[in-house]
Amino acid sequence: HVYTDYFFNESAYDYHDGGYVPLEKHDAPESKLNIPEVLKPDKVDGNDVWYTVEAQTGETQILPGEKTKTWGYNQSLLGKTIIYEDGKNYHVTLKNSLPELTTYHWHGLDVPGPYIDGGCHAPVYPGEAKEIEFPVHQPAATTWLHAHPCPLTGWDVWHGLACAVVVKDQHEATLPLPRNYGVDDIPVILQDRRFDEHNQWNYDDDYDPDGTEGPTALINGTVNPYFDVTTQKLRLRFLDGSNRREWRLHLSDDMVMTQIASDGGLLPEPVYLTKLMMTCAERTEVVLDFGKYKPGDEVTLYSDDTPILKFKIHEFAKDNTEIPDHLADMDYPDPDKDSLVHQVVMSGTDEEVEFNGKKFGMMRIDDRQELGKSEYWDITNTNDCCGGMIHPYHSHGGQFMVVSRNGEAPYPNERGYKDTIGVNAGETVRVKMKFNHPGIFMYHCHIIEHEDGGMMAQLQVYTKDDPYKKYKLMDMKTL
Ligand code: C2O
Ligand code: CU
Ligand code: CU
């Protein structure tokens, strides 16, 4: 079965919001899609691996003419791709060479909060370097790293502080899927910016409390990119790294995408679709099969009607491998019958956004959940203004599973592990969530300006032996 329409309700698309900026094709010439290099470890010793992630300023040649002032991790824009292996232990030095404080948030990694997780309680000040250590224990997935200093996450990410973090495991490695990084397995980081006449980005000019956008698609930091296809099958690891934009992806000839993974790893079975909508911070992995194309052909990826990435087909060897009907076993406990249901209500637009009727308080713990216990979370988008918007809900502290949307089955492509879920206006999405590490974790709308504007809360994951453990939390004032 091939799904030929988006799963989300059109009535809630964020383009109905007054501030929406449609994509437009930039008149710059096409250029080769930037494929970030893989970050090299500083040192490997048995099961232990050391990395350095340096946040830095720089200049990037994105358009012809003047370079753009940008920020990145270990490079001038975005970052080198970090590869973690399930079962290994990592020591990461977080170095801040920016002129201001930042944090390093591992979005989708199952690590303890609030310091290793890198939310707003884990600042690294300019000129400082801090080492964190954590084991990686989770299924193969496309996760990501981005800055998270509250309330300046939007500012940091807009400047370029985001990169792909790929987790590998032994199960995924046995499946017949493309995994030759840069050749048949590539990250596709979807962002949008506005370039001024000097090719610069001006966050403050473009700022919108409902999410900052620009008309130009920026894919892995490239404008009007093309990718040279040299294999019949190509795995794309899409990451919606935009501050606010939803991407409605489809290909020329209505080419079918085989979705194999969502945020937290492989889906139980592949989902075949011609239209794929992604909300902020979500990841999807799809495999494209260029079997019916010949050298010289081109396939174009669009978001709405704007071309955003071109695939140029070259000679390739025939590939008869088939994607298995079963990709992974989902293993997630159900909550106990009588366990409480956590409530999250996302309401408002612009400066009025709220979470359970409040703005985020850095020193306030809004909810609590016991370590290792699965519980339901009901996430409601009240749709109380202007046709409403989709709010992409995200929880730190691991992965959840979607149970229902307004009591109905989840969409076919959200039956795997998720950490971010688009909630339609007027809808309640029920998820079940279990935390595997204690700590303080944020949960919020991932339209980054909503998050910065206070559409966020935090919970304490506690252990029975120290249920009210105190953590040193940052106050906005101490920033
Ligand atoms: Cu992607 Cu709280 O973050
Ligand atoms: Cu996160
Ligand atoms: Cu929102």
Side-chain angles (χ1 to χ4, degrees):
H1 183 78
V2 178
Y3 294 95
T4 56
D5 209 351
Y6 300 111
F7 296 125
F8 286 91
N9 303 339
E10 195 276 343
S11 61
Y13 288 178
D14 287 355
Y15 63 46
H16 297 293
D17 176 78
Y20 182 74
V21 178
L23 285 177
E24 285 164 33
K25 192 172 183 314
H26 196 280
D27 57 15
E30 61 178 27
S31 41
K32 214 179 174 80
L33 177 70
N34 174 51
I35 303 291
E37 277 169 45
V38 171
L39 183 66
K40 292 198 183 68
D42 303 330
K43 184 170 113 183
V44 180
D45 181 5
N47 225 27
D48 286 71
V49 185
W50 282 258
Y51 282 117
T52 300
V53 176
E54 180 182 7
Q56 58 170 84
T57 64
E59 288 191 322
T60 310
Q61 191 82 59
I62 302 174
L63 297 175
E66 289 175 70
K67 291 186 174 174
T68 307
K69 292 191 174 61
T70 53
W71 293 0
Y73 294 120
N74 302 304
Q75 59 183 33
S76 67
L77 171 59
L78 301 175
K80 302 213 162 92
T81 298
I82 301 171
I83 297 185
Y84 289 142
E85 281 175 58
D86 175 33
K88 292 204 169 163
N89 197 43
Y90 291 91
H91 308 253
V92 184
T93 300
L94 308 170
K95 192 170 170 203
N96 182 1
S97 302
L98 300 172
E100 60 194 64
L101 152 176
T102 189
T103 80
Y104 303 72
H105 172 52
W106 304 100
H107 180 130
L109 271 197
D110 196 359
V111 295
Y115 313 121
I116 294 174
D117 159 81
C120 55
H121 301 298
V124 180
Y125 292 90
E128 256 190 6
K130 240 187 214 172
E131 192 183 293
I132 54 170
E133 186 191 337
F134 54 90
V136 166
H137 182 58
Q138 66 186 85
T142 305
T143 71
W144 60 306
L145 167 67
H146 66 78
H148 209 308
C150 311
L152 291 171
T153 301
W155 165 265
D156 273 20
V157 174
W158 188 264
H159 281 90
L161 293 180
C163 73
V165 177
V166 172
V167 178
K168 304 211 158 211
D169 76 359
Q170 288 182 354
H171 167 66
E172 190 275 341
T174 64
L175 298 177
L177 297 171
R179 65 173 68 74
N180 186 0
Y181 182 85
V183 178
D184 64 7
D185 178 355
I186 60 172
V188 180
I189 303 174
L190 305 164
Q191 297 179 313
D192 56 306
R193 296 289 183 273
R194 182 188 304 281
F195 291 86
D196 71 10
E197 64 277 18
H198 297 289
N199 294 345
Q200 302 309 309
W201 302 333
N202 302 294
Y203 182 73
D204 292 338
D205 294 350
D206 285 320
Y207 175 80
D208 181 333
D210 267 340
T212 303
E213 293 173 302
T216 302
L218 187 74
I219 314 298
N220 293 353
T222 321
V223 171
N224 294 339
Y226 68 88
F227 180 76
D228 288 314
V229 174
T230 58
T231 56
Q232 184 178 329
K233 294 207 173 118
L234 176 64
R235 178 184 194 162
L236 305 176
R237 297 172 184 265
F238 287 122
L239 154 62
D240 184 342
S242 317
N243 283 40
R244 176 264 179 81
R245 185 176 300 280
E246 300 154 354
W247 297 80
R248 280 171 290 272
L249 304 173
H250 56 99
L251 292 148
S252 45
D253 305 331
D254 276 326
M255 186 176 175
V256 174
M257 300 179 248
T258 304
Q259 187 179 340
I260 55 167
S262 58
D263 305 329
L266 292 168
L267 294 172
E269 51 236 18
V271 174
Y272 300 89
L273 30 77
T274 58
K275 292 199 166 73
L276 171 64
M277 181 166 128
M278 296 184 60
T279 67
C280 296
E282 283 187 296
R283 288 87 65 210
T284 54
E285 293 179 31
V286 304
V287 176
L288 304 183
D289 185 340
F290 295 98
K292 66 170 191 192
Y293 293 93
K294 50 178 198 321
D297 287 347
E298 289 183 348
V299 171
T300 304
L301 175 70
Y302 296 86
S303 183
D304 289 332
D305 295 325
T306 308
I308 60 169
L309 171 58
K310 203 186 263 179
F311 298 100
K312 297 189 179 184
I313 317 296
H314 297 263
E315 213 66 70
F316 54 73
K318 186 126 195 71
D319 177 352
N320 290 321
T321 55
E322 276 185 45
I323 294 178
D325 293 337
H326 179 76
L327 294 168
D329 295 327
M330 298 295 113
D331 168 25
Y332 211 103
D334 277 328
D336 294 340
K337 291 239 157 23
D338 52 353
S339 72
L340 95 158
V341 179
H342 300 264
Q343 300 291 333
V344 174
V345 176
M346 296 187 281
S347 64
T349 52
D350 288 320
E351 278 89 358
E352 270 73 61
V353 290
E354 286 184 334
F355 224 62
N356 288 341
K358 291 184 206 119
K359 294 265 185 206
F360 181 57
M362 286 181 84
M363 306 289 282
R364 187 183 72 228
I365 306 296
D366 299 278
D367 206 339
R368 299 167 51 76
Q369 185 167 329
E370 194 183 325
L371 179 72
K373 251 186 133 185
S374 174
E375 289 180 342
Y376 291 121
W377 286 72
D378 277 356
I379 302 130
T380 301
N381 173 353
T382 60
N383 182 33
D384 50 4
C385 178
C386 334
M389 295 176 78
I390 292 175
H391 295 294
Y393 170 83
H394 165 56
S395 180
H396 292 208
Q399 301 290 324
F400 50 73
M401 285 195 83
V402 184
V403 175
S404 61
R405 285 186 176 269
N406 271 354
E408 310 281 322
Y411 300 150
N413 65 344
E414 51 193 31
R415 293 189 180 129
Y417 303 132
K418 295 277 292 166
D419 56 52
T420 308
I421 182 79
V423 184
N424 286 290
E427 191 174 46
T428 296
V429 173
R430 171 168 285 198
V431 305
K432 54 179 177 179
M433 176 117 195
K434 172 170 90 80
F435 293 87
N436 301 317
H437 297 280
I440 307 290
F441 295 99
M442 263 129 240
Y443 49 109
H444 55 86
C445 174
H446 218 295
I447 288 177
I448 304 181
E449 284 72 18
H450 281 179
E451 162 190 342
D452 282 342
M455 205 179 222
M456 174 154 74
Q458 57 192 353
L459 87 155
Q460 177 155 8
V461 176
Y462 65 92
T463 56
K464 272 224 177 80
D465 57 320
D466 191 5
Y468 292 93
K469 180 172 172 169
K470 286 270 172 279
Y471 293 88
K472 185 173 166 281
L473 300 182
M474 295 287 293
D475 195 342
M476 294 271 187
K477 294 185 284 286
T478 61
L479 290 177

